[in-house]
Amino acid sequence: MESANKVESAWEEIDDYESVWTPFDQAFRFQAGPGVRSGIKEPAGSVTYGLKEAWSGKSSDWVMHAVNALVVWGLARSVDGDDPLIVLDWQH
């Protein structure tokens, strides 16, 4: 008998990494590295928030928790129902 409290993982590894990165690169002209001000060409209507202060050691833990909560809320609102949300991590 399985536990009623079992939590499924929210993460699923992408089998064909390039099938996701290639269209992303083409759409947003992705650039990464030191000295790069904006890593993507933002589409019209985009909003960018600077988070440097939240992770600079100048703010308290509640600021980081608040920022994380807002990001999760925004990401959850950006997809419909069971549509997947793909997270790309260029540093790994």
Side-chain angles (χ1 to χ4, degrees):
M1 181 175 189
E2 288 190 35
S3 169
N5 294 328
K6 181 180 176 186
V7 177
E8 291 185 33
S9 174
W11 297 100
E12 182 179 321
E13 191 168 338
I14 298 170
D15 292 329
D16 183 6
Y17 206 61
E18 289 305 314
S19 70
V20 178
W21 266 112
T22 300
F24 181 83
D25 284 340
Q26 291 171 346
F28 299 104
R29 299 183 199 144
F30 177 69
Q31 297 178 12
V36 175
R37 179 169 161 80
S38 178
I40 64 169
K41 179 181 181 282
E42 296 187 40
S46 294
V47 178
T48 301
Y49 295 95
L51 301 176
K52 183 178 179 180
E53 293 299 317
W55 278 269
S56 67
K58 296 178 183 176
S59 62
S60 59
D61 285 345
W62 73 267
V63 172
M64 287 185 281
H65 292 298
V67 168
N68 283 332
L70 287 170
V71 169
V72 169
W73 177 81
L75 292 172
R77 298 219 6 139
S78 70
V79 295
D80 291 325
D82 292 331
D83 288 346
L85 176 67
I86 298 173
V87 178
L88 300 172
D89 184 355
W90 70 273
Q91 294 180 330
H92 294 93

